C-alpha cells in the first residue's frame, strides 16, 4: 500500500506498507544532507536511484545547478504520485532540460533515455544517490550496469575521436565536393519492406557459408569494406559496400577489385571515392556534420554508429524495412586466434607479421578479454553490445548464419532455410537522385570559419570557445577532458597543433 502522510515538519513523506521512504521529521533536510555528500566532487551527472517524492531531485538541482540529473524510478505509480504531490504543495519538481526522468521497466525505452543523458561530457564525473535503492535492488543494479556500459562506449568513442578526430575533420573537409554532389541513402528508407537483406562482416565465420552466396542469387547484399576482398573473391554478388574508416589503409580493402557501389561516410580517404562507379553518402551524428547540413541547406541522412561499419549497414537495412536481416560473419570475437576471415586485408597483414618466433597464439590484441566464452577485445565487445541493443529494438526478424561469437540470443538460420531465402532472383535497388549544391557555397563557409580560427589561434585558450561545431572532431576530446580542469599543458599544445594543421588544410583548399 502506497500513501502520502505528513512529516513533523509539515512536508509530506511517503509510506509503502510499513516503511517510510523519507524522514518522519524533515524530508527536505534529509535530501539536502544526501546531496551534500557528493557536492564537493562537482559531478557532471547525478544519478538518483529511487525517486520517492522527489526531494533529492529538487535538492540536487538547487545545490548542483551545472550538473545533469538522471532520475530512475521503477514504479510509474510512485513517479506520478511524486509529481502530483509536489504540484499540490506548491513546489513542482524540476523538469528543465537538465533533468531526465526514466520510469518503468521498458528496457529499450530506458536505454534510449539514458543514452541521451549520459553523453561524453557527463562521463567526466558520475555520482549516485542511492538511499532508496533497496526499494528495487535488482532493477537498480541493472540500471547501474547499463550506465556503466554506456559510459564505456562513450569513453571508447572519445578515445577514437582523440586518435582520429583531426583526420576525420581533414578528410571531411577535403571531401567537400562529395558533400555537395553525391546523393544520400534517405530515398531508400522504407523501400525494402518485407524483403531480405544480407550483411557480410569480416569476422572469422565469414568463410563458413560463402559457397551458398556464390551459388544462389537471392537477397540484397550489403558488404562492409573489411569483408569486401573475401566476398568478392568468392564470386558472390555484392550490391553495396560500406566504408567509414578515415585511414589510408582503408584503400587496401579494394586492392584486388574496385567496388561498383560505395556507400561511404564523409570521413573516408578522398582517394577512395574515385574507385567506385556509383558513390553514395551517409552522414554521422555530431556538430561537425550538422554544420555541413546547414551549409548545404539540406540534411544528409545519418545512420546510427555503434563504432563498427557493420552497425551502419544494419541501421540502413532496418530503416529500409528489410525483413529478415541476416548477419554473416558478424562475430565480434576471435576464433582459433583469428579476428578476421581469410583473405581480408587485415588478416593478410597479420599473417605477414607472423614468424616462427611470433605465432598467432603469442599475438596479444589490444584490450583482449574473454566474454561469454569467446576470446574478444573490449571494442569488439562494445560493438556487439550495441548490436544486441539495436536488434532488440528492431521489429524485423534478425538472424545469424553461424552459431559463434558474441551475438548470443540472436537465432541461427539453418543452412536449409538460408538456401530457401537465397533461391530466387533478387530485386534491385532503385537509383538514387542527387540534389547537388554549388560547392562554392561550402568554400565560402570555409573562408568564414578560417577567419574565426585564425582569431582563436592568436588569442588565449578561452578563445577556442568561439569556434563553431565545424571544428568539433578536433576540439571535443580536449573540451571533455578540460571540464574538470583548465585547458593547459600538453592537452592545450595538442589542440593548438591540430588547429594549426586545420588552418593549413583550409589555406590549401581555398
Amino acid at each position: 500500500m502506497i500513501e502520502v502522510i505528513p512529516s513533523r515538519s509539515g512536508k509530506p513523506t511517503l509510506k509503502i506498507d510499513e516503511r517510510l521512504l523519507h524522514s518522519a521529521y524533515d524530508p527536505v533536510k534529509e535530501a539536502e544532507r544526501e546531496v551534500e555528500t557528493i557536492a564537493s566532487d562537482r559531478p557532471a551527472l547525478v544519478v538518483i536511484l529511487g525517486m520517492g517524492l522527489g526531494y533529492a531531485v529538487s535538492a540536487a538541482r538547487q545545490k548542483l545547478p551545472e550538473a545533469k540529473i538522471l532520475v530512475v524510478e521503477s514504479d510509474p505509480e510512485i513517479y506520478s504520485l511524486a509529481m502530483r504531490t509536489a504540484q499540490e504543495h506548491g513546489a513542482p519538481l524540476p523538469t528543465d532540460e537538465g533533468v531526465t526522468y526514466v520510469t518503468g521497466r521498458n528496457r529499450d525505452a530506458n536505454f534510449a533515455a539514458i543514452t541521451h543523458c549520459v553523453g561524453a561530457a557527463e562521463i567526466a564525473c558520475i555520482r549516485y544517490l542511492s538511499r532508496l535503492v533497496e526499494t528495487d535492488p535488482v532493477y537498480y543494479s541493472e540500471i547501474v550496469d547499463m550506465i556503466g556500459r554506456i559510459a564505456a562506449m562513450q569513453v571508447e568513442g572519445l578515445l577514437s575521436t582523440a586518435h582520429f578526430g583531426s583526420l576525420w575533420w581533414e578528410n571531411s573537409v577535403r571531401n567537400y565536393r562529395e558533400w555537395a554532389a553525391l546523393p544520400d541513402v534517405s530515398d531508400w528508407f522504407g523501400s525494402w519492406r518485407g524483403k531480405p537483406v544480407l550483411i557480410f562482416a569480416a569476422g572469422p565465420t565469414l568463410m563458413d557459408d560463402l559457397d551458398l552466396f556464390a551459388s544462389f542469387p537471392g537477397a540484397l547484399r550489403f558488404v562492409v569494406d573489411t569483408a569486401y576482398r573475401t566476398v568478392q573473391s568468392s564470386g558472390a554478388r555484392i550490391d553495396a559496400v560500406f566504408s567509414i574508416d578515415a585511414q589510408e589503409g582503408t584503400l587496401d580493402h579494394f586492392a584486388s577489385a574496385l567496388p561498383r557501389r560505395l556507400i561511404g561516410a564523409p570521413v573516408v580517404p578522398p582517394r577512395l571515392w574515385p574507385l567506385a562507379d556509383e558513390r553514395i553518402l551517409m552522414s554521422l551524428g555530431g556538430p561537425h556534420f550538422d554544420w555541413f547540413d546547414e551549409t548545404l541547406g539540406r540534411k544528409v541522412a545519418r545512420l546510427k554508429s555503434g563504432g563498427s561499419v557493420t552497425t551502419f549497414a544494419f541501421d540502413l537495412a532496418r530503416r529500409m524495412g528489410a525483413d529478415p536481416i541476416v548477419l554473416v560473419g558478424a562475430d565480434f570475437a576471435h576464433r582459433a586466434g583469428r579476428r578476421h576471415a581469410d583473405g581480408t586485408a587485415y588478416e593478410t597483414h597479420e599473417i605477414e607479421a607472423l614468424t616462427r618466433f611470433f605465432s598467432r597464439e603469442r599475438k596479444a590484441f589490444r584490450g583482449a578479454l574473454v566474454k561469454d566464452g569467446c576470446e574478444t577485445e573490449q571494442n569488439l565487445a562494445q560493438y556487439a553490445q550495441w548490436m544486441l541493443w539495436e536488434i532488440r529494438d528492431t521489429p524485423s526478424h534478425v538472424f545469424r548464419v553461424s552459431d559463434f561469437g558474441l551475438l548470443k540470443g540472436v537465432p541461427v538460420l539453418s543452412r536449409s532455410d538460408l538456401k530457401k531465402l537465397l533461391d530466387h532472383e533478387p530485386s534491385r535497388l532503385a537509383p538514387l537522385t542527387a540534389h547537388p549544391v554549388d560547392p562554392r557555397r561550402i568554400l565560402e563557409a570555409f573562408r568564414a570559419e578560417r577567419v574565426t580560427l585564425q582569431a582563436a589561434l592568436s588569442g588565449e585558450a578561452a578563445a577556442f570557445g568561439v569556434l563553431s561545431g565545424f571544428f568539433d572532431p578536433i576540439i571535443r576530446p580536449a573540451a571533455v577532458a578540460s571540464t574538470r580542469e583548465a585547458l593547459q599543458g600538453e592537452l592545450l599544445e595538442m589542440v593548438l597543433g591540430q588547429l594549426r594543421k586545420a588552418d593549413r588544410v583550409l589555406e590549401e583548399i581555398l
Side-chain angles (χ1 to χ4, degrees), residues 43-109:
L45 173 66
V46 177
V47 181
I48 300 174
L49 300 171
M51 182 177 177
L53 289 180
Y55 290 112
V57 185
S58 297
R61 175 43 77 234
Q62 181 179 0
K63 291 183 175 293
L64 302 167
E66 300 300 320
K68 270 192 174 182
I69 301 172
L70 173 62
V71 187
V72 185
E73 174 52 60
S74 64
D75 189 337
E77 183 180 353
I78 291 178
Y79 167 78
S80 299
L81 182 61
M83 288 295 187
R84 185 170 63 250
T85 301
Q87 188 74 37
E88 291 171 351
H89 285 78
L93 295 179
T95 56
D96 58 87
E97 62 180 13
V99 182
T100 300
Y101 293 91
V102 174
T103 62
R105 295 173 175 276
N106 185 321
R107 190 185 187 284
D108 293 328

Side-chain angles (χ1 to χ4, degrees), residues 227-268:
Y228 175 69
R229 278 171 49 163
T230 300
V231 178
Q232 189 274 335
S233 64
S234 75
R237 194 190 77 254
I238 297 173
D239 293 303
V241 183
F242 286 71
S243 188
I244 63 170
D245 290 333
Q247 305 95 299
E248 284 290 306
T250 297
L251 299 169
D252 292 345
H253 303 311
F254 305 99
S256 60
L258 301 182
R260 186 177 65 82
R261 178 185 285 127
L262 175 69
I263 301 176
V267 301
V268 299

Side-chain angles (χ1 to χ4, degrees), residues 24 28 32 37 71 83 94 112 194 230 264 267 285 306 315 341 344 351 382 398:
V28 173
E32 290 174 349
T37 63
V71 187
M83 288 295 187
T230 300
V267 301
D315 191 40
T344 63
I351 291 173
Q382 289 175 3
V398 181

Side-chain angles (χ1 to χ4, degrees), residues 244-306:
I244 63 170
D245 290 333
Q247 305 95 299
E248 284 290 306
T250 297
L251 299 169
D252 292 345
H253 303 311
F254 305 99
S256 60
L258 301 182
R260 186 177 65 82
R261 178 185 285 127
L262 175 69
I263 301 176
V267 301
V268 299
R271 290 199 298 139
L272 178 59
W273 294 111
L275 300 182
D277 295 329
E278 183 180 352
R279 299 166 294 161
I280 301 164
L281 198 64
M282 59 178 180
S283 187
L284 312 175
H288 174 79
F289 306 101
D290 293 340
W291 183 92
F292 271 92
D293 283 348
E294 293 167 8
T295 301
L296 293 168
R298 58 176 169 79
K299 188 170 184 177
V300 177
R302 282 151 170 68
L303 296 181
K304 277 191 176 182
S305 168

